[in-house]
Amino acid sequence: MHRWTDLDQVPPGFGPSVVTIGNFDGVHLGHRQVLTRMVADAAAAGAQSVAVTFDPHPRRLHRPEDAPPLITGVRDKLELLASTGLDAVLVQPYTWEFARQSPEEFVRRFLVDGLRAVTVVVGRDVRFGWQNAGDLSTMLELGSRHGFTVEVIPEVTTPDGARRWSSTWVRELLRSGDVAGAAEILGRPHRLRGVVVEGDKRGRDLGFPTANLASDADGLVPADGVYAGWLSRPSGDRLPAAISIGTNPTFAGESRRVEAYVLGRTDLDLYGDEILLEFVERLRPTLKFDSVDDLIATMHDDVAKARVVLGT
């Protein structure tokens, strides 16, 4: 898959293409259903399939106080988009210069001249151009003027039709700690990616050495609690883990941390490594214990439960 971060990187003569536009945060099952169908339709027409997405999220520029936390970082989003079979992704830097384009300028520069689109795939609620002046009727009119068709995709809902698949829904579930529910929408376990940094090393003293994620890790951190999940190393090893999120209230901690204990392992040196954490199931909320002995007993119980959940 071609990965571009600027329209100038698109090779001259690229296309014809089928293009879709969106944030695709999390690349959940609703996204994937649309993208895989688009890929198949483009291949059948002898065209290239392209997704145009943005970094940062547009709301970080227009309404930073209301910007949603991202479910996935750009790197993971690109990997997930690639898995749908897309031919190319343009990660457009979302700047004021870009945002101030009129709908006509955006369509002409990006879709027509840059990507040579023959079909543009959008949702019924599409908005584009300065101050979101462009909508579906605008896109249809511009398509007629510039020679591309517009395919309007229906909303992708749960099998019972009760709710639309959405990144907003995934965020709600993760904020409540329901990582299993989020995985049903994502089609995979939710993940965090970051570098292992030094912590208080208290876990090692308790017999459960943990890998502490740096505070700038990519991905939306779920609600405080203890989770069963997986830790993947740069070598490709995928190891069962109990993952703790919280402030360590038993020790009067103040900073919120994400730390993972690889089940049964006390020999790992992960400092400085970039790791991937995947969340499978929440085992319990964060608790404050009356004694260290009570904490250790509960941690043993957490490990036993995690083994059952992960089948190890």
Side-chain angles (χ1 to χ4, degrees):
M1 185 184 80
H2 300 289
R3 304 180 185 196
W4 305 312
T5 55
D6 190 283
L7 190 62
D8 291 341
Q9 296 172 1
V10 179
F14 177 84
S17 66
V18 176
V19 182
T20 191
I21 308 161
N23 290 304
F24 305 111
D25 188 24
V27 195
H28 56 66
L29 288 177
H31 294 142
R32 297 182 70 84
Q33 183 172 322
V34 170
L35 292 168
T36 53
R37 186 182 71 194
M38 188 188 87
V39 166
D41 291 348
Q48 303 285 307
S49 54
V50 184
V52 177
T53 189
F54 309 103
D55 182 42
H57 191 288
R59 211 181 298 172
R60 288 197 177 276
L61 200 69
H62 297 287
R63 289 184 292 160
E65 72 287 350
D66 190 37
L70 295 182
I71 299 167
T72 52
V74 173
R75 176 176 167 185
D76 283 303
K77 180 163 73 171
L78 284 170
E79 289 183 4
L80 292 164
L81 288 172
S83 70
T84 67
L86 283 165
D87 293 304
V89 173
L90 170 60
V91 183
Q92 171 60 36
Y94 197 87
T95 62
W96 282 117
E97 180 183 5
F98 174 82
R100 289 191 175 101
Q101 293 178 110
S102 69
E104 165 83 23
E105 288 171 328
F106 168 71
V107 165
R108 178 176 47 77
R109 181 182 174 203
F110 282 80
L111 305 184
V112 178
D113 296 339
L115 297 171
R116 296 177 61 212
V118 292
T119 300
V120 177
V121 180
V122 295
R124 190 165 297 278
D125 59 352
V126 63
R127 307 294 300 211
F128 61 101
W130 177 236
Q131 296 183 333
N132 281 334
D135 59 11
L136 179 58
S137 63
T138 312
M139 187 67 80
L140 289 167
E141 191 275 326
L142 290 171
S144 176
R145 188 189 311 172
H146 291 286
F148 62 82
T149 61
V150 178
E151 181 181 348
V152 182
I153 55 175
E155 290 188 341
V156 182
T157 64
T158 54
D160 61 3
R163 185 164 182 178
R164 181 174 68 91
W165 299 106
S166 70
S167 301
T168 298
W169 190 6
V170 174
R171 293 187 193 102
E172 290 174 4
L173 291 168
L174 293 175
R175 284 168 169 155
S176 70
D178 187 0
V179 294
E184 292 183 12
I185 302 173
L186 292 169
R188 57 172 177 83
H190 175 57
R191 58 178 62 168
L192 298 179
R193 184 188 297 274
V195 174
V196 176
V197 298
E198 287 197 12
D200 296 326
K201 300 184 180 178
R202 190 174 288 119
R204 184 172 300 278
D205 294 337
L206 299 175
F208 300 90
T210 59
N212 290 258
L213 273 193
S215 59
D216 61 352
D218 286 337
L220 195 163
V221 178
D224 288 3
V226 177
Y227 298 82
W230 299 93
L231 182 153
S232 294
R233 306 173 67 184
S235 62
D237 293 340
R238 191 167 181 256
L239 306 171
I243 306 168
S244 174
I245 300 174
T247 60
N248 291 321
T250 302
F251 299 98
E254 295 182 357
S255 60
R256 191 168 185 242
R257 298 181 179 181
V258 179
E259 47 190 322
Y261 164 64
V262 175
L263 306 186
R265 298 290 297 270
T266 60
D267 60 327
L268 296 175
D269 181 3
L270 299 173
Y271 291 127
D273 286 351
E274 182 184 74
I275 62 171
L276 184 72
L277 296 180
E278 297 176 291
F279 294 79
V280 176
E281 184 177 308
R282 193 184 194 203
L283 302 176
R284 63 171 174 86
T286 296
L287 302 171
K288 182 177 180 179
F289 295 92
D290 294 330
S291 70
V292 172
D293 287 343
D294 288 344
L295 170 60
I296 292 174
T298 302
M299 292 172 74
H300 280 290
D301 187 48
D302 293 338
V303 169
K305 290 178 179 177
R307 287 194 182 279
V308 172
V309 169
L310 301 173
T312 62

